[in-house]
Amino acid sequence: YTVGPSQLDEIFREADEDLSGLIEMHEFEKAVNIVYTHHGFTKNEAEELFKVFDRYDADKSGSISADELPSALGWLGWPATIEESQELVDTFAGPHGELLRPQFLRVMRHRLEEELSEMRSLFARCDTNRQGTLSSTQVVDLLLNLGYTLQPNVVDEAVRSMGPKVHASSLYFEDVVELIRYI
């Protein structure tokens, strides 16, 4: 799974049982288990996705059918046809043909990984100098390709608001992902 820096921070805070700020071996194992059981999502992200699951489980059966899935995906910004949803259900559901909550997380992870893969390709295309970073102008181009319409000054302001971890002159892929989450 692709787990970003802010997600790792949250997962490590949850796993740090003694609140030492350091992750010992048993706490590391707990962190790995959190990533595994939540399919790469933090506890908070998984809870938010489960709220969407519950909202679109129209018949309150505890599962989502291929007919219910497009509405949930659309709510999350990933529109899908019933045919696409049926493919996802066929791929990720058990023998009963409907998604349970853990399987729904797997579908969400699958969709997110597809999106990240597309974003990596766009990042590489926008990285014309092959430095592994983008300028704010290049980030605006990437965002336009993703369907965002932001002015360069808005991107610059968002980067500054993200704090000292991000350098406005050159953004790594992870920085761009955090920026998109921020905006």
Side-chain angles (χ1 to χ4, degrees), residues 31-50:
V32 169
N33 189 47
I34 291 167
V35 171
Y36 177 76
T37 58
H38 292 131
H39 301 283
F41 295 108
T42 65
K43 181 180 178 182
N44 290 335
E45 289 170 331
E47 288 173 359
E48 288 301 313
L49 289 170
F50 287 148

Side-chain angles (χ1 to χ4, degrees), residues 125-142:
R125 280 200 312 243
C126 292
D127 181 17
T128 54
N129 60 7
R130 303 292 181 242
Q131 296 291 316
T133 61
L134 298 181
S135 68
S136 61
T137 304
Q138 291 169 313
V139 170
V140 170
D141 290 340
L142 179 138

Side-chain angles (χ1 to χ4, degrees), residues 4-163:
S6 64
Q7 293 166 307
L8 276 178
D9 288 345
E10 185 177 331
I11 290 167
F12 283 157
R13 279 192 305 274
E14 184 181 344
D16 186 13
E17 295 169 350
D18 61 5
L19 304 176
S20 67
L22 302 172
I23 299 297
E24 298 161 15
M25 183 53 96
H26 74 280
E27 293 169 328
F28 178 76
E29 290 170 351
K30 181 178 179 182
V32 169
N33 189 47
I34 291 167
V35 171
Y36 177 76
T37 58
H38 292 131
H39 301 283
F41 295 108
T42 65
K43 181 180 178 182
N44 290 335
E45 289 170 331
E47 288 173 359
E48 288 301 313
L49 289 170
F50 287 148
K51 286 179 186 176
V52 173
F53 178 94
D54 293 339
R55 178 181 186 160
Y56 290 99
D57 175 14
D59 59 3
K60 304 301 178 209
S61 64
S63 63
I64 288 186
S65 68
D67 293 335
E68 295 167 319
L69 186 58
S71 297
L73 291 173
W75 175 258
L76 294 166
W78 291 320
T81 64
I82 291 179
E83 292 78 23
E84 291 168 328
S85 296
Q86 186 63 57
E87 284 181 37
L88 290 168
V89 169
D90 291 345
T91 301
F92 293 101
H96 50 60
E98 294 192 348
L99 297 173
L100 302 174
R101 294 176 97 192
Q103 295 159 336
F104 181 72
L105 284 183
R106 287 183 60 214
V107 168
M108 295 302 100
R109 172 53 56 191
H110 173 76
R111 294 299 288 241
L112 181 59
E113 293 296 332
E114 284 180 338
E115 192 173 86
L116 288 170
S117 178
E118 178 186 343
M119 201 179 324
R120 277 190 187 91
S121 295
L122 284 171
F123 186 95
R125 280 200 312 243
C126 292
D127 181 17
T128 54
N129 60 7
R130 303 292 181 242
Q131 296 291 316
T133 61
L134 298 181
S135 68
S136 61
T137 304
Q138 291 169 313
V139 170
V140 170
D141 290 340
L142 179 138
L143 292 172
L144 284 171
N145 280 298
L146 290 173
Y148 294 89
T149 52
L150 297 173
Q151 297 298 318
N153 62 325
V154 174
V155 172
D156 290 340
E157 183 181 328
V159 168
R160 281 192 303 278
S161 298
M162 290 173 64

